[in-house]
């Protein structure tokens, strides 16, 4: 973080006012410029004496904004460091928040002009703040600056700390929604991992639980977007969207019911159901940017996962062929694709023309899956306890035998 070191007796804030106002009024002629500079410096002095830090920040920002394109980035960083340091003088959290809003708004209102520098200044401001909510507000401004200024690469690394930020900020549901949705938009603009963008979209939707119909309706557009992103993603085969109220509201929605039906097909049905749906909704699918061939590819893999979930653990080649609507010589190719995508672990018995499944991914993980997992863990725990008991019993028997042998030898 840049530090301004005073080189004279003049207060750093007053020095900044004098410097920026001289530059701002330089084209008005000496007489006008001198009068304006003197007036601004007197106002700044009065603010300093009266501890009117919010008014001083406003005064300094007016001139600083005018000279943003006239000085070097190093000088700009120094000027704004002095301005940002005013927040440390605030006498209450409310005043600090107002100053943070004022300064961050001024810094970010022209995002296309030196966005990287503006982001650096915003983060300098963030680090000076003591009020958690002030920090949250400034961080949100930084997100929007990065998004609008096409400089998302500078803020994406900070997303690794979001969980700790949330604990620190202690923000409410409404603010969390804004945060998750904006982060998702930043990741989408950054063309980062589609899974990361999808993760924050689902976090956003998860905040809509137990809300009234009016509030819930705010999430409709994003619920549709989340479904479309899941269907489009070639590397995502599992989600819990069907359990979310924000998504469930689409089922009976006149406009979006078909999108909900598409999600249900991808998570609970097979290729034949998709093909039937596509035949009746081809125009709708195209309007969402969904490519039929890509959907078929993903749906074949999803269908294969569904076949693999059968309790018998075996899938005949012929059943795979018929379900995926492929030729006989393509069966093993699709099984290999499913293995490569880590959807199933299996062996192919070519002699008997069956696939022997040892593990498969669950497309949905709801109450039923949790119950199944609980049962398996209970069984596993029982088996382990039985093994331990057997080992202990054998050890006791062995120790007794050794003791008897010792007595006989004596």
């Amino acid at each position: 973080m840049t530090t301004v070191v005073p080189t004279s007796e003049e207060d750093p804030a007053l020095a900044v006012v004098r410097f920026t106002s001289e530059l701002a009024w330089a084209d008005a002629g000496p007489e006008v410029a001198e009068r304006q500079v003197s007036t601004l410096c007197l106002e700044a002095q009065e603010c300093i004496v009266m501890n009117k830090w919010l008014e001083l920040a406003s005064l300094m920002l007016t001139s600083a904004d005018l000279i943003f394109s006239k000085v070097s980035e190093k000088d700009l960083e120094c000027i704004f460091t002095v301005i940002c340091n005013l927040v440390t003088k605030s006498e209450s959290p409310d005043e600090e928040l107002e100053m943070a809003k004022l300064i961050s708004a001024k810094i970010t209102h022209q995002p296309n002009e030196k966005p990287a520098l503006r982001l650096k200044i915003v983060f300098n401001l963030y680090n000076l703040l003591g009020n958690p909510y002030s920090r949250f507000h400034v961080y949100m401004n930084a997100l929007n600056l990065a998004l609008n200024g096409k400089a998302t690469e500078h803020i994406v690394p900070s997303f690794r700390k979001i969980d700790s930020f949330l604990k620190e900020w202690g923000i409410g549901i409404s603010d969390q929604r804004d945060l998750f949705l904006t982060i998702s938009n930043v990741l989408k603009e950054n063309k980062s991992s589609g899974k990361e963008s999808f993760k924050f979209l689902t976090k956003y939707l998860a905040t809509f639980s137990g809300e009234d119909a009016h509030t819930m309706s705010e999430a409709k557009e994003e619920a549709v977007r989340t479904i479309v992103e899941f269907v489009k993603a070639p590397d995502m085969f599992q989600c819990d969207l069907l359990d979310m109220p924000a998504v469930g509201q689409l089922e009976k929605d006149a406009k979006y019911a078909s999108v909900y039906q598409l999600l249900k097909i991808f998570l609970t049905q097979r290729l034949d159901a998709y093909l039937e749906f596509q035949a009746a909704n081809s125009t709708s699918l195209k309007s969402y940017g969904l490519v039929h061939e890509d959907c078929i590819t993903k749906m074949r893999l999803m269908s294969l996962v569904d076949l693999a979930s059968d309790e018998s653990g075996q899938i005949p080649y012929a059943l795979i062929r018929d379900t995926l609507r492929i030729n006989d010589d393509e069966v093993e190719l699709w099984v290999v694709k499913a293995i490569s995508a880590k959807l199933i672990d299996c062996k192919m018995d070519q002699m008997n023309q069956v696939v022997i499944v040892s593990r498969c991914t669950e497309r949905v993980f709801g109450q039923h899956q949790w119950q199944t997992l609980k049962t398996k863990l209970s069984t596993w725990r029982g088996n382990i306890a039985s093994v331990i008991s057997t080992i202990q019993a054998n050890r006791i028997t062995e120790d007794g035998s050794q003791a008897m042998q010792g007595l006989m030898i004596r």
Side-chain angles (χ1 to χ4, degrees):
M1 185 172 66
T2 305
T3 303
V4 175
V5 180
T7 56
S8 68
E9 295 298 323
E10 188 172 41
D11 186 283
L14 187 58
V16 166
V17 172
R18 188 181 304 281
F19 176 74
T20 56
S21 58
E22 285 176 352
L23 276 176
W25 289 95
D27 297 335
E31 292 184 6
V32 175
E34 185 175 344
R35 184 171 64 254
Q36 292 293 337
V37 170
S38 297
T39 300
L40 290 170
C41 287
L42 285 172
E43 289 182 21
Q45 284 180 319
E46 181 181 349
C47 290
I48 293 171
V49 171
M50 301 294 292
N51 293 335
K52 296 180 178 180
W53 307 117
L54 182 59
E55 292 182 23
L56 179 59
S58 180
L59 176 67
M60 295 174 73
L61 287 166
T62 301
S63 297
D65 188 54
L66 294 173
I67 57 98
F68 209 94
S69 59
K70 295 183 179 180
V71 298
S72 67
E73 291 194 0
K74 184 177 180 181
D75 286 340
L76 276 173
E77 191 174 350
C78 288
I79 289 167
F80 275 96
T81 296
V82 174
I83 297 173
C84 291
N85 265 287
L86 292 178
V87 299
T88 64
K89 300 178 182 293
S90 61
E91 298 179 354
S92 71
D94 289 340
E95 183 183 35
E96 183 191 88
L97 176 59
E98 290 305 311
M99 292 176 69
K101 288 181 177 180
L102 177 69
I103 296 171
S104 59
K106 184 64 73 170
I107 296 170
T108 60
H109 87 290
Q110 290 185 337
N112 294 316
E113 184 181 3
K114 301 178 181 177
L117 174 62
R118 290 179 186 269
L119 274 172
K120 186 176 183 181
I121 294 170
V122 169
F123 279 118
N124 287 345
L125 172 62
Y126 180 95
N127 291 326
L128 289 166
L129 295 167
N131 179 11
Y133 193 74
S134 297
R135 287 191 159 202
F136 164 70
H137 183 86
V138 169
Y139 187 80
M140 285 298 297
N141 276 356
L143 286 176
N144 287 305
L145 170 61
L147 186 61
N148 297 326
K150 310 296 182 184
T152 54
E153 68 276 9
H154 297 290
I155 202 166
V156 167
S158 71
F159 297 164
R160 293 191 296 267
K161 300 179 180 179
I162 285 298
D163 289 341
S164 62
F165 286 163
L166 285 170
K167 290 180 182 178
E168 175 193 342
W169 296 333
I171 55 177
I173 292 296
S174 179
D175 287 329
Q176 288 181 38
R177 286 172 185 160
D178 290 342
L179 175 68
F180 295 147
L181 186 55
T182 306
I183 289 177
S184 178
N185 291 335
V186 168
L187 287 167
K188 187 176 182 181
E189 175 67 27
N190 187 249
K191 294 180 173 60
S192 300
S193 168
K195 287 185 177 180
E196 284 299 302
S197 177
F198 180 82
K199 181 181 78 173
F200 281 100
L201 263 182
T202 55
K203 281 179 175 287
Y204 165 79
L205 294 178
T207 64
F208 291 88
S209 180
E211 306 283 5
D212 58 62
H214 176 72
T215 303
M216 193 76 74
S217 66
E218 296 175 7
K220 282 185 179 180
E221 295 288 342
E222 302 309 329
V224 171
R225 172 186 161 190
T226 309
I227 292 171
V228 171
E229 288 200 9
F230 172 75
V231 173
K232 278 184 178 180
D235 57 348
M236 284 195 289
F237 301 92
Q238 182 187 72
C239 72
D240 56 357
L241 292 178
L242 286 176
D243 292 333
M244 293 185 175
V247 174
Q249 69 176 324
L250 302 180
E251 184 174 13
K252 297 180 180 179
D253 186 271
K255 184 177 180 181
Y256 299 125
S258 61
V259 182
Y260 180 87
Q261 183 61 32
L262 179 66
L263 174 67
K264 199 168 183 179
I265 288 170
F266 267 79
L267 290 177
T268 66
Q269 299 180 51
R270 297 178 182 176
L271 179 62
D272 57 344
Y274 166 73
L275 292 173
E276 183 180 341
F277 175 87
Q278 191 274 338
N281 299 275
S282 58
T283 303
S284 177
L285 291 175
K286 288 179 182 178
S287 70
Y288 289 115
L290 294 168
V291 179
H292 179 50
E293 290 74 17
D294 294 340
C295 289
I296 288 179
T297 297
K298 183 167 180 172
M299 202 63 219
R300 279 176 173 155
L301 290 171
M302 300 290 255
S303 300
L304 187 50
V305 168
D306 193 53
L307 292 174
S309 65
D310 188 273
E311 293 182 1
S312 68
Q314 294 190 1
I315 321 171
Y317 276 30
L319 181 58
I320 296 175
R321 178 199 64 208
D322 295 342
T323 303
L324 273 56
R325 300 196 181 189
I326 54 178
N327 298 323
D328 287 326
D329 59 357
E330 295 179 286
V331 169
E332 293 185 356
L333 172 64
W334 281 96
V335 172
V336 170
K337 285 183 178 181
I339 295 171
S340 299
K342 299 182 179 179
L343 295 174
I344 59 174
D345 291 334
C346 63
K347 293 180 180 179
M348 288 179 279
D349 185 344
Q350 295 174 323
M351 289 290 294
N352 296 306
Q353 294 285 284
V354 296
V355 175
I356 303 170
V357 180
S358 56
R359 182 202 66 84
C360 74
T361 297
E362 298 280 359
R363 291 192 285 177
V364 295
F365 209 91
Q367 187 64 36
H368 174 71
Q369 285 72 29
W370 280 114
Q371 188 61 45
T372 301
L373 179 60
K374 180 181 178 181
T375 302
K376 288 181 179 178
L377 287 174
S378 296
T379 302
W380 176 81
R381 180 183 293 177
N383 291 339
I384 293 296
S386 178
V387 170
I388 291 173
S389 297
T390 302
I391 292 173
Q392 289 175 340
N394 290 339
R395 183 175 294 170
I396 291 171
T397 303
E398 184 179 336
D399 290 345
S401 298
Q402 290 177 352
M404 291 296 294
Q405 289 176 4
L407 289 172
M408 291 173 66
I409 292 171
R410 289 195 186 118

